[in-house]
Amino acid sequence: MSFAAMDAFERVVHGNKSYARRSAESEPQLWQALAKGQQPEILWFGCGDSRVPETTICDCKPGDIFVHRNIANIIPANDLNSGSIIDYAVGAVGVKRIVICGHTRCGGAYSSLDDKDLGPTLNQWLQPLRDLRRKHQAELDRLDSDDQRAIRLAELNVRQGLEVLKNNPTIQRAMAERGVTVHGVIFDLTTCELRVLEEEQAAPAIWHHR
């Protein structure tokens, strides 16, 4: 059977076998080392979107990034899921940098531009993002298109997530004791480039979708 004729699961299994062979040839010690433990320096909060695979877009290897992904990279203040990730990755594993990555063309951001019913689970999950939209509605309404509004909302979401992280006790301790830093980025799906929010002025220019 050709690769093209395989269904999605078969391609995944076949791809793993191909990757394992290439990895054994090019870096024979990599997986033996990783099997003994992990020492990632970065904790990455990202969106579950299939187009934003953090290890790939950052040209990193397995073991480099500890990852937590969900719909629209939302970090609620009292979320048990993200809280457990923080306590383990920051408190136990000892990462040095924490990154929140939003992205352009984010389905969660577009879905939060209004209050259409998406079902009880998604409605509840996106509520913080929809509340954020309402808070900044006047600013968003001044933009020319939903593309621009969704990008701006994605950025506001990252900035809000940064504040949540900086108020987390585990992260505050790590910042004080080990110099851990927290960063926000936006990934542009059209250019495959990260925009680092800290490198911009307090009132950054809005990205225009290309």
Side-chain angles (χ1 to χ4, degrees), residues 40-84:
E41 295 193 359
I42 292 177
L43 167 59
W44 181 281
F45 288 93
C47 180
D49 195 303
S50 63
R51 301 166 294 178
V52 194
E54 62 293 320
T55 305
T56 301
I57 65 173
C58 296
D59 200 16
C60 291
K61 296 179 181 180
D64 288 347
I65 304 177
F66 199 101
V67 180
H68 177 68
R69 294 169 69 177
N70 60 43
I71 300 298
N73 49 274
I74 296 172
I75 307 179
N78 299 311
D79 179 49
L80 181 62
N81 195 347
S82 56
S84 65

Side-chain angles (χ1 to χ4, degrees), residues 38-47 54-55 58 60 63-70 73 75 81-102 158 161-162 164-166 168 170-172 174-175 178 180-185 194 198:
Q38 60 173 328
Q39 293 182 309
E41 295 193 359
I42 292 177
L43 167 59
W44 181 281
F45 288 93
C47 180
E54 62 293 320
T55 305
C58 296
C60 291
D64 288 347
I65 304 177
F66 199 101
V67 180
H68 177 68
R69 294 169 69 177
N70 60 43
N73 49 274
I75 307 179
N81 195 347
S82 56
S84 65
I85 289 287
I86 291 168
D87 283 352
Y88 187 74
V90 179
V93 176
V95 298
K96 299 176 181 178
R97 305 286 181 261
I98 304 171
V99 177
I100 307 178
C101 179
V158 168
L162 289 172
V164 171
L165 292 180
K166 290 175 182 178
N168 178 277
T170 300
I171 293 176
Q172 287 182 333
M175 292 173 71
R178 302 194 285 111
V180 167
T181 55
V182 182
H183 309 273
V185 298
L194 292 175
E198 297 95 307

